[in-house]
Amino acid sequence: MAVKKTTKTLVQEKKEILPKKDAKESKKETKIETKIDDKKSTQMQDAFQREDKKVVDWMLDHPKEVIQEWESLLHKIRKKRCGTSGGTYPITLSPLFLKKESLNLIATVGEKLDKIVDKVVNLYFKDEYVRSYFPYPELPKEWIDVHPGYDKPTVLNRHDALYDGKTLKFIEFNTDNPGGRGRTDVLEGIYRDHPMYKDLIKTYGRPFEGKVLRKSLDALLSCYKEYGGKKENPRIAIVSFKRFLEGSDNEIVRDYFIENGYETNFMDAREFEYKKGGLYSGNVKFDILNLSLRFTFFKRYPSEMKDFLNAIRDKAVCCVNPLRAIIGSHKELLSFITNERNYHYFTEDEVQCIKDHVLWTRKMDETITISKEGIDISLEEYAIRKKDELVLKPTDAAGGYGVKIGKGTDTAEWRDAIESSMGCPWWIIQEAMPVPEIELPSIKDNKIVLDKKFINLNPYVFNGDYAGMLGRVSDSTIVNVCAGGGIIPIFELND
């Protein structure tokens, strides 16, 4: 349900041509306008809170009807292919409503950090010191060194954050072909027709934009044009391995591209042929490769992948994300940007953004470093002593795998984990932020009850622009769908 936050209304500039007024009169008028806008905004929020509570109370009192509607909604979700081969993704009964200023904060900071990530990835190729921060980049050097033919080193990104209504902190950056593009838009559309929420969304929510898929396609076409592509309607391949393509989010993406005039096919990376200066399947030539699988999977079949990789190397096809984008996903990058010794690589505005919105992080081979309190420390002693304030993570894992939360780990087990990871650059220690909680209606034993869930908010940034947001909830503080969490659709409230 709605997250309560402090309202901050911006006064829009008047567009009419008015007679000039003295400074005192203008200042007085601005104050009056601000008070009026604040009052309207507060009234709108109060009205929304009342209506939102009515919906929840009705749900609590009518479990039979809610369960029937829920089953109907699940059928719609399945028909729209928002699921896996085994069923639908776990999804909440109710969506999350965010105020405009909260959503704008997440979007703006997400875009700023996206630029910072790109800066570090570019520095990796120019600066030996920066490159030393990433000693094990997972992919062969010759793959990473391939320039894609366009400037931006990461394109289709999702950055994961914690936001409690006041504090916004980003915990990791996903530039390794993150998923969820299709279902984010589709779920929003389904909830707009949900009998229990459609009136509330229509009255208080922003109009439907469906911009995640649109901006995804725009990003591909922009890269293709910069790469030197000349076709008005280039052919797109969504590239993975067969077992990951069918019955997935990729089907939604493929259909959207086709509906908008771009022939798109699923392609197993092993089945391409590199011939006649292009990348083919049979006699069909592809112009854009949209990679939809974590980069490391592409190392599994080296002999079968030669045509695919050679075509990318020779720029015979436009590849998005470029292989070098893997550097942006490595958690060593968080250590690099939050270390005061590296601030000279960034502008004052970038440094302030990092300080305000990125959790303090260190690689475990940075044995003598600066703590989050700003003092020189022995990392091993500090990590053991500050157990309840820290999280231990592998640098290259996804889905919450391998993560140890100090506060929830036995002291002896934590000490062993710290001692065994010391000196290893493929492990990081990160400041722990309390994971925000939200109270949501859920079905239990054929009843509707209010459950507390942990939540994170994850903005998509495509080609540098905010494109939408994936919301995730969980019973665990490790909030990830792969680790048993669920998805919560997000709606922006009207002013």
Side-chain angles (χ1 to χ4, degrees):
M1 305 310 298
V3 178
K4 294 182 180 179
K5 306 175 185 72
T6 305
T7 306
K8 189 175 181 180
T9 304
L10 298 176
V11 181
Q12 300 295 321
E13 286 188 64
K14 288 191 171 183
K15 300 296 181 184
E16 304 94 333
I17 299 174
L18 298 174
K20 289 186 178 179
K21 300 174 182 177
D22 60 43
K24 286 184 179 178
E25 188 178 353
S26 296
K27 191 173 182 180
K28 182 179 179 182
E29 183 178 272
T30 300
K31 286 182 178 179
I32 292 170
E33 287 176 343
T34 303
K35 286 181 180 179
I36 291 171
D37 283 352
D38 282 342
K39 186 175 180 181
K40 285 180 180 177
S41 179
T42 301
Q43 288 173 343
M44 175 71 80
Q45 289 166 34
D46 288 346
F48 166 75
Q49 295 286 354
R50 287 193 298 271
E51 294 304 314
D52 189 27
K53 186 177 184 304
K54 285 181 184 177
V55 174
V56 175
D57 288 344
W58 182 87
M59 293 170 76
L60 293 171
D61 293 337
H62 299 82
K64 184 177 179 180
E65 291 91 334
V66 172
I67 291 170
Q68 287 176 344
E69 290 293 349
W70 181 242
E71 289 174 347
S72 174
L73 183 137
L74 289 179
H75 283 300
K76 290 179 183 177
I77 291 173
R78 189 61 187 270
K79 285 185 177 181
K80 293 289 186 178
R81 292 167 297 181
C82 288
T84 64
S85 56
T88 58
Y89 276 101
I91 189 167
T92 57
L93 268 178
S94 59
L96 173 71
F97 294 89
L98 282 179
K99 291 192 297 187
K100 183 177 180 179
E101 57 265 34
S102 295
L103 194 144
N104 284 348
L105 172 67
I106 296 168
T108 301
V109 174
E111 290 179 348
K112 286 183 178 180
L113 290 173
D114 196 75
K115 289 182 174 64
I116 291 170
V117 170
D118 282 352
K119 176 178 278 192
V120 177
V121 177
N122 284 329
L123 283 168
Y124 174 89
F125 298 97
K126 302 173 184 176
D127 190 304
E128 187 175 344
Y129 169 73
V130 176
R131 193 158 52 251
S132 71
Y133 253 77
F134 304 87
Y136 302 105
E138 292 189 281
L139 293 184
K141 181 179 182 297
E142 59 269 25
W143 294 16
I144 295 172
D145 285 345
V146 172
H147 193 283
Y150 50 85
D151 285 339
K152 199 172 188 310
T154 71
V155 180
L156 301 177
N157 305 329
R158 193 194 72 229
H159 305 316
D160 297 351
L162 301 175
Y163 180 57
D164 61 8
K166 295 180 181 178
T167 302
L168 173 66
K169 293 286 187 179
F170 281 76
I171 55 177
E172 60 184 57
F173 306 120
N174 292 294
T175 61
D176 193 355
N177 307 319
R181 289 178 290 168
R183 61 176 174 265
T184 300
D185 277 350
V186 170
L187 287 174
E188 180 180 342
I190 290 172
Y191 267 76
R192 285 182 180 274
D193 293 326
H194 193 317
M196 291 182 287
Y197 275 98
K198 64 180 181 181
D199 291 338
L200 194 67
I201 293 170
K202 184 177 180 180
T203 304
Y204 298 99
R206 302 282 294 176
F208 181 61
E209 294 183 89
K211 62 183 180 182
V212 178
L213 286 167
R214 174 171 53 82
K215 284 184 174 288
S216 173
L217 178 57
D218 289 347
L220 292 177
L221 298 176
S222 175
C223 290
Y224 175 71
K225 184 177 180 180
E226 186 181 344
Y227 153 90
K230 303 298 183 184
K231 291 184 181 178
E232 186 175 344
N233 296 92
R235 192 169 194 128
I236 302 169
I238 296 177
V239 184
S240 181
F241 294 135
K242 281 182 178 177
R243 70 180 185 274
F244 300 125
L245 285 166
E246 297 296 333
S248 69
D249 185 70
N250 290 313
E251 290 187 341
I252 300 170
V253 177
R254 177 200 60 193
D255 289 356
Y256 178 85
F257 290 175
I258 293 171
E259 288 163 8
N260 283 271
Y262 298 90
E263 285 297 323
T264 304
N265 300 88
F266 286 158
M267 280 299 302
D268 188 305
R270 296 165 293 185
E271 296 179 355
F272 284 111
E273 289 182 277
Y274 184 23
K275 60 185 182 181
K276 304 176 186 176
L279 198 59
Y280 288 78
S281 172
N283 293 318
V284 176
K285 183 181 178 183
F286 289 94
D287 306 295
I288 300 174
L289 303 182
N290 180 190
L291 306 189
S292 64
L293 190 65
R294 291 191 69 210
F295 289 121
T296 54
F297 281 88
F298 292 115
K299 294 193 303 182
R300 292 187 176 182
Y301 306 96
S303 60
E304 294 101 321
M305 301 273 286
K306 285 181 181 178
D307 282 10
F308 167 73
L309 293 167
N310 288 342
I312 293 173
R313 178 200 62 200
D314 296 344
K315 298 185 184 64
V317 66
C318 179
C319 181
V320 184
N321 273 342
L323 298 174
R324 57 182 51 195
I326 194 171
I327 300 298
S329 266
H330 273 257
K331 297 179 183 66
E332 295 101 313
L333 190 143
L334 293 155
S335 175
F336 180 83
I337 67 175
T338 60
N339 193 322
E340 290 88 339
R341 291 173 178 143
N342 300 325
Y343 282 172
H344 64 280
Y345 285 101
F346 306 104
T347 66
E348 288 185 12
D349 183 60
E350 288 170 338
V351 169
Q352 195 58 55
C353 182
I354 292 165
K355 286 180 176 179
D356 290 344
H357 300 296
V358 183
L359 292 173
W360 176 90
T361 309
R362 288 295 182 272
K363 291 190 301 167
M364 292 302 284
D365 66 343
E366 298 180 279
T367 52
I368 302 297
T369 187
I370 302 171
S371 72
K372 59 187 176 73
E373 294 81 12
I375 58 175
D376 286 330
I377 56 164
S378 160
L379 187 59
E380 181 176 5
E381 182 276 331
Y382 181 83
I384 292 171
R385 177 166 52 87
K386 294 279 189 175
K387 176 179 87 74
D388 289 352
E389 301 173 27
L390 299 169
V391 179
L392 183 67
K393 299 178 178 180
T395 62
D396 60 347
Y401 297 114
V403 174
K404 281 190 179 295
I405 299 172
K407 195 169 185 178
T409 304
D410 174 77
T411 300
E413 182 183 346
W414 178 259
R415 179 183 288 272
D416 287 345
I418 296 299
E419 290 177 350
S420 64
S421 61
M422 279 309 303
C424 299
W426 53 89
W427 284 91
I428 60 156
I429 197 84
Q430 189 175 66
E431 172 187 1
M433 174 182 168
V435 181
E437 291 183 277
I438 186 171
E439 196 171 60
L440 296 166
S442 62
I443 300 171
K444 282 190 176 178
D445 299 325
N446 291 320
K447 295 179 181 179
I448 308 301
V449 298
L450 292 177
D451 263 350
K452 283 190 174 181
K453 300 283 185 183
F454 295 102
I455 184 169
N456 66 18
L457 302 174
N458 315 289
Y460 288 103
V461 182
F462 293 161
N463 214 24
D465 295 329
Y466 172 75
M469 198 178 314
L470 173 69
R472 297 182 296 193
V473 297
S474 177
D475 293 325
S476 166
T477 52
I478 300 175
V479 185
N480 194 289
V481 175
C482 295
I487 296 170
I488 182 167
I490 296 171
F491 292 89
E492 179 185 343
L493 286 173
N494 277 318
D495 294 334

